Amino acid sequence: MSIHRALAVGVLVLAVQATACRDPEVVARVGHTDLRNEDLQDFTSRRAPGAGEMNAQLDALISRARLAEHATGLGLRTRPDIRARLAAAQREVLAQAALEEALRGATDETALRERYAAGRDTLARRQVQVRHLLVRLSPGADDAERRRARDRASLLHARITGGESFEAVAREASQDEASSQRGGSLGIVREGQVHPSFFEAVAALGKDELSKPFETPFGVHVAQALAPVESVVPSFDELRGVLAAQARREAEARLSKELEERIKVTRFPEALGSQGKSAQDAAVKRGDEG
């Protein structure tokens, strides 16, 4: 075999070996940094939708990786403020990962349905079909504005009790633009969907009973119940978000308590200088006041 042919075969063998040894998940090497498929997926997930096709995304990631390589070459990793920012980023990623791990079983479909079934008797909510008209109050309304609003609502109330239809008065005079065109109809309102003061006022009404003017943070209302108040249990799909939020809060509280008991913390307030002393003095003062 000639020398040139032998060299060519050797180069080919080395190339094949290098390809065989290379991690197939590595999509690019930038300086001394390997960019893997998961790096690209994470980078893409944090960019705006439609930021470009995959090669464009990879180009953008490579550009950032070049800057990071340059920063390392400049020795920026050893600068105290950069070290702190890198540590903070790592801390937040790990903390979020720990939370996600703790929540994984607590908020899956099976767990949420079990929670719904177990608490079904306590999930009932009152609801009432109602219509209203509104005289609005501006934020921070003074006593004079409140009196004017009540006087106007009383006149509208008198028109209805005097024989005018609720729908006609609401269409003409209600300042709730969303419901006025429907003759004041709000349809069925459920406890928790509207301000508590409004719901309690309308839930106290009998069928077809007209309320006297009453005030909420939105203004002065006159309302009429179109059906008796009743209790219903919302469907699982309606409560899925609420159930998931409850499960998350409980899982986070359990994890926090477990970690407080298991992982020792030693504070060194003297290392904080004047800030540490101020915080320590404030804590002592709060303790004295308690």
Side-chain angles (χ1 to χ4, degrees):
M1 181 183 295
S2 69
I3 295 177
H4 291 298
R5 182 175 175 79
L7 286 174
V9 171
V11 169
L12 179 60
V13 168
L14 290 173
V16 170
Q17 289 177 340
T19 301
C21 293
R22 185 179 66 78
D23 187 338
E25 288 297 306
V26 173
V27 295
R29 180 166 292 128
V30 182
H32 300 289
T33 302
D34 282 346
L35 299 178
R36 302 170 60 82
N37 257 313
E38 58 261 34
D39 299 317
L40 180 58
Q41 291 168 9
D42 175 72
F43 180 76
T44 301
S45 71
R46 290 183 284 106
R47 286 165 65 82
E53 53 97 31
M54 194 56 68
N55 282 331
Q57 300 274 21
L58 179 56
D59 288 343
L61 175 58
I62 288 172
S63 177
R64 302 303 291 175
R66 281 199 190 101
L67 283 171
E69 281 281 311
H70 179 57
T72 300
L74 293 175
L76 295 181
R77 280 179 176 272
T78 61
R79 210 170 74 185
D81 62 320
I82 302 300
R83 281 206 313 268
R85 287 160 63 185
L86 288 170
Q90 177 174 292
R91 187 166 52 245
E92 288 306 311
V93 168
L94 290 174
Q96 186 60 36
L99 282 175
E100 290 171 0
E101 192 67 23
L103 297 177
R104 193 184 307 280
T107 58
D108 65 20
E109 184 79 4
T110 300
L112 292 182
R113 287 192 178 276
E114 289 175 355
R115 175 180 286 268
Y116 177 77
R120 187 179 178 86
D121 294 340
T122 65
L123 295 173
R125 295 290 182 269
R126 292 176 296 162
Q127 68 178 31
V128 61
Q129 186 177 357
V130 66
R131 58 188 175 191
H132 85 138
L133 55 82
L134 171 69
V135 179
R136 288 196 180 277
L137 287 171
S138 60
D142 58 18
D143 290 342
E145 182 182 349
R146 291 179 186 280
R147 281 195 301 272
R148 288 194 298 271
R150 282 192 167 273
D151 288 345
R152 184 179 178 193
S154 295
L155 288 173
L156 300 177
H157 179 271
R159 287 174 59 182
I160 297 169
T161 57
E164 293 189 55
S165 74
F166 193 107
E167 294 95 326
V169 175
R171 285 193 180 94
E172 175 196 329
S174 177
Q175 294 177 337
D176 179 3
E177 295 81 4
S179 68
S180 62
Q181 298 306 308
R182 300 190 300 269
S185 175
L186 293 175
I188 293 175
V189 295
R190 185 172 292 167
E191 192 171 11
Q193 292 179 331
V194 294
H195 195 275
S197 60
F198 180 86
F199 186 86
E200 293 303 327
V202 298
L205 299 173
K207 184 178 183 301
D208 297 327
E209 183 180 355
L210 185 69
S211 76
K212 293 181 178 179
F214 64 93
E215 187 176 325
T216 73
F218 304 101
V220 182
H221 308 255
V222 175
Q224 185 177 37
L226 302 179
V229 66
E230 58 180 346
S231 291
V232 296
V233 177
S235 70
F236 171 76
D237 286 336
E238 289 178 281
L239 290 178
R240 184 193 299 270
V242 174
L243 295 169
Q246 291 173 347
R248 281 193 293 270
R249 285 195 298 270
E250 291 175 11
E252 288 182 20
R254 284 195 302 271
L255 179 60
S256 179
K257 183 176 180 181
E258 175 196 336
L259 296 181
E260 285 177 4
E261 294 172 352
R262 184 162 58 85
I263 299 178
K264 181 182 177 181
V265 174
T266 304
R267 297 176 185 269
F268 305 101
E270 66 278 6
L272 298 175
S274 59
Q275 289 182 345
K277 186 176 186 306
S278 298
Q280 195 171 31
D281 291 345
V284 170
K285 184 179 180 181
R286 286 196 300 271
D288 292 342
E289 292 173 349

